[in-house]
Amino acid sequence: MKMKKYLSFITGALLCISATAQVEPSHRSTSLVEIGKLKNLSSKEIESSRLGIGFETLDRKVFDPSNYYDKVGQIGVKWARCQTGWARTETEKGKYDFSWLDDVVDNLLKRGIQPWFNVGYGNPIYMGKVSNPTAVGYIPLYYGEECVQAWRNYVRNLAEHFKGRVHHFEIWNEPEINPFWQPKKADPLEYAKLIKISVEEIKKVNPDAIIGACSATHYSEYAEVLFEEVGKLLDFYSVHAYCMIPEHNYPNHIKSLRQLMKECGMKTKIWQGETGFPSRIPAKSWVGKALAWHGSNETMQAKSMLRRYITDLTCGIDMASFFMVTDFSPSYIKGDGNGMNTEAVWGIIENKEGYRPKKVYYVMRNFCTMFSNKTTNAEHCFNLDLRNVYPTHSPTSKLAVVATSKTLSSFTRNGYPVFCYYMPEDPQMEMRTIENVSIEVKTRKMPKNPVLIDMMTGKVFKITDKTKRWLKGLPLTDYPLFVTDLDAISDIFIAK
């Protein structure tokens, strides 16, 4: 019995070591010498970028935004998705109180962040009894002419009130999902009708308004019908592509969506308006059931954010938003009226006293500094050589995957190539770092002072083992690492 207990203890200890072992680059290779770190720029200091943050659910008072404005302004994001909240704005028929939304818009603008609106939801004063107090998901089309006209009036007043401050209006949220399309089932023709009447009212007071539609997925039969009806009215189409491994299918979905738009004669930009990854997934959360996500922690969330952003940028997405600024409160109620006390923990900042920024917050700051408008998509050729990798820090089974499963992309910053590489492993696997990878650079502009940048820490490493075309002794991780010339980041580099 004692021996069994001892073996059980040893097994548990080994499992614990496996679960908590270092998953970030060890950088033990003699090729890498730490020389400094990235400077962090605030949103006001960055001229422009394609990166945004979710500032949703204030229509339901899920959090107090005053606790977050300064923190968000330090991240470096340039966009924030805000939900307008008809029910919160018009609590008495014909009277609009936009003061709560003025506070949000003005404070974000003050910090160099451009708000954009998701326009919705319903309003109980025109709909009667609904399953949640703010009529989330309830469609004005189904409650008579008075309700439809009230929606028209609300949308028109919203656009007029924020003219000059907010330019982008996304009509409704995730209309393909029945909880957000009540009390009937989702219907693209009905959504097209809602878009038409909304656009008509917005354009009356703001002809220059930029109009968008929203999708809970990306390419679908729903989109085919919708685009035939209202595609040419749309300036942008916002997709919500929640997935564990975006690199595997998402790029092809975006290509298909672009082709569909072309066939429909559309000149519409594609935005990624809402996609995130939780720092914690409770056992009974819907996320585990619907998305088959089971494990998470703050490191996993940060890695997923990096992969989400880099995949969006590589796909040519015009704006990419990460969901969301803070965690849901237990009082949040879904569109179908069911409580969400087992909602996943999505925020980059905790929603409780102290408002602690999570790991993803600091990693996002590093990424936003690097990927301002000074960094653009490019097609620089490079290859990874994995023949001499050290297997001691990764299970042998992973090495077989590495040979065929790796992600390479490239950018240009300040005129210099930026090479991005990583292994798109399921982040829940918490892959160990693989070492002694080599990069073959196939561009005329070989980095003279090559460096490796680790976004997880913001650290910059000099690469000392190099030849005319090769950079050697590098790590391979399950999140993006960047190799470039030191001169490419001279404006955002702080020497050690």
Side-chain angles (χ1 to χ4, degrees):
M1 182 63 69
K2 288 183 178 180
M3 179 59 71
K4 286 183 179 179
K5 287 184 177 180
Y6 177 76
L7 290 175
S8 177
F9 170 79
I10 293 295
T11 302
L14 289 173
L15 288 173
C16 183
I17 290 170
S18 174
T20 60
Q22 181 77 8
V23 292
E24 296 179 15
S26 63
H27 300 311
R28 282 190 287 268
S29 170
T30 55
S31 174
L32 297 177
V33 177
E34 185 179 342
I35 60 172
K37 63 180 181 179
L38 292 179
K39 181 193 303 182
N40 288 131
L41 303 179
S42 69
S43 297
K44 288 190 73 172
E45 292 174 300
I46 294 174
E47 181 182 350
S48 64
S49 83
R50 292 182 278 165
L51 303 176
I53 189 71
F55 220 77
E56 295 94 345
T57 70
L58 286 173
D59 56 317
R60 285 147 278 177
K61 303 180 182 179
V62 168
F63 63 97
D64 179 355
S66 65
N67 296 312
Y68 301 89
Y69 292 133
D70 287 338
K71 286 183 171 65
V72 172
Q74 292 302 311
I75 299 174
V77 291
K78 295 298 292 184
W79 299 88
R81 183 175 186 248
C82 304
Q83 291 177 299
T84 57
W86 181 20
R88 183 172 181 181
T89 300
E90 187 183 359
T91 58
E92 185 179 344
K93 288 185 178 182
K95 295 183 179 181
Y96 306 100
D97 181 4
F98 291 109
S99 59
W100 69 274
L101 195 51
D102 281 325
D103 177 79
V104 176
V105 168
D106 292 342
N107 272 289
L108 290 172
L109 287 172
K110 180 181 177 182
R111 289 161 177 82
I113 301 169
Q114 178 60 59
W116 60 286
F117 280 167
N118 170 258
V119 183
Y121 285 112
N123 195 328
I125 65 174
Y126 294 103
M127 295 175 168
K129 186 178 181 181
V130 291
S131 65
N132 63 79
T134 51
V136 170
Y138 283 84
I139 309 302
L141 299 178
Y142 304 138
Y143 290 89
E145 186 54 37
E146 182 192 18
C147 188
V148 172
Q149 186 58 51
W151 170 260
R152 285 179 173 273
N153 295 341
Y154 162 69
V155 170
R156 186 178 64 254
N157 276 274
L158 175 75
E160 186 172 33
H161 185 86
F162 289 99
K163 185 176 180 180
R165 289 183 288 169
V166 177
H167 317 288
H168 297 76
F169 296 82
E170 173 192 56
I171 310 303
W172 215 254
N173 179 65
E174 298 188 351
E176 305 104 311
I177 298 179
N178 287 332
F180 291 126
W181 196 266
Q182 293 194 56
K184 299 185 180 181
K185 290 187 177 181
D187 184 334
L189 293 177
E190 292 290 277
Y191 182 40
K193 184 177 179 181
L194 183 67
I195 289 173
K196 287 177 183 177
I197 65 174
S198 302
V199 171
E200 182 182 339
E201 297 302 327
I202 292 170
K203 293 287 187 176
K204 282 180 183 178
V205 295
N206 187 356
D208 298 323
I210 301 168
I211 304 298
C214 182
S215 170
T217 55
H218 20 70
Y219 189 102
S220 64
E221 292 182 7
Y222 188 104
E224 292 176 0
V225 175
L226 182 70
F227 290 172
E228 287 291 342
E229 289 293 313
V230 294
K232 293 181 181 179
L233 292 179
L234 303 178
D235 301 299
F236 68 98
Y237 188 63
S238 173
V239 301
H240 296 182
Y242 285 88
C243 52
M244 180 63 70
I245 307 176
E247 301 85 358
H248 285 187
N249 296 312
Y250 179 71
N252 285 332
H253 288 312
I254 297 302
K255 287 180 182 178
S256 299
L257 189 59
R258 283 203 175 94
Q259 182 60 34
L260 175 61
M261 289 176 171
K262 184 178 180 181
E263 292 171 0
C264 293
M266 298 165 60
K267 296 180 179 179
T268 303
K269 294 181 177 180
I270 301 176
W271 284 21
Q272 185 279 98
E274 181 196 314
T275 300
F277 195 90
S279 61
R280 185 170 62 85
I281 302 174
K284 295 183 179 180
S285 170
W286 68 271
V287 174
K289 182 178 180 180
L291 300 177
W293 297 0
H294 301 290
S296 189
N297 53 48
E298 289 193 20
T299 295
M300 208 180 297
Q301 181 188 33
K303 290 180 177 181
S304 297
M305 179 275 298
L306 289 175
R307 289 171 58 171
R308 176 77 266 168
Y309 269 162
I310 206 69
T311 303
D312 285 334
L313 296 183
T314 302
C315 288
I317 297 296
D318 288 281
M319 196 287 303
S321 186
F322 192 75
F323 185 79
M324 60 176 288
V325 64
T326 193
D327 305 323
F328 284 87
S329 66
S331 62
Y332 178 70
I333 300 175
K334 286 197 299 185
D336 59 6
N338 294 322
M340 298 186 76
N341 294 331
T342 54
E343 176 59 86
V345 183
W346 297 97
I348 67 168
I349 303 170
E350 289 185 341
N351 187 5
K352 59 185 179 181
E353 189 175 354
Y355 306 99
R356 179 185 67 88
K358 301 178 189 177
K359 186 169 190 174
V360 65
Y361 173 92
Y362 299 102
V363 179
M364 189 179 290
R365 290 185 70 187
N366 296 331
F367 194 91
C368 289
T369 294
M370 181 73 180
F371 281 87
S372 68
N373 59 317
K374 292 185 178 182
T375 304
T376 57
N377 287 34
E379 295 186 1
H380 301 297
C381 184
F382 70 107
N383 294 319
L384 292 190
D385 185 347
L386 306 170
R387 290 173 294 182
N388 300 307
V389 297
Y390 301 147
T392 55
H393 303 293
S394 179
T396 303
S397 59
K398 291 284 195 304
L399 295 180
V401 180
V402 172
T404 56
S405 180
K406 54 185 179 292
T407 295
L408 309 178
S409 56
S410 58
F411 303 86
T412 295
R413 191 175 200 283
N414 291 333
Y416 293 88
V418 177
F419 308 104
C420 170
Y421 72 97
Y422 62 102
M423 178 177 165
E425 176 62 272
D426 183 335
Q428 294 177 126
M429 296 295 291
E430 296 189 280
M431 178 192 121
R432 310 292 176 84
T433 298
I434 296 170
E435 298 186 64
N436 205 35
V437 172
S438 297
I439 288 181
E440 182 185 14
V441 178
K442 293 189 173 183
T443 67
R444 293 182 65 187
K445 201 164 186 177
M446 178 74 177
K448 293 181 180 179
N449 300 299
V451 294
L452 181 140
I453 307 167
D454 181 2
M455 292 292 168
M456 290 290 286
T457 61
K459 293 179 180 179
V460 178
F461 298 84
K462 180 180 180 180
I463 302 172
T464 60
D465 191 352
K466 61 177 181 174
T467 64
K468 185 176 180 180
R469 291 290 177 191
W470 289 90
L471 304 173
K472 301 179 180 180
L474 306 178
L476 175 64
T477 60
D478 59 348
Y479 64 88
L481 295 173
F482 300 89
V483 170
T484 189
D485 195 289
L486 182 60
D487 286 344
I489 58 171
S490 58
D491 57 325
I492 54 172
F493 174 69
I494 301 175
K496 188 175 179 181

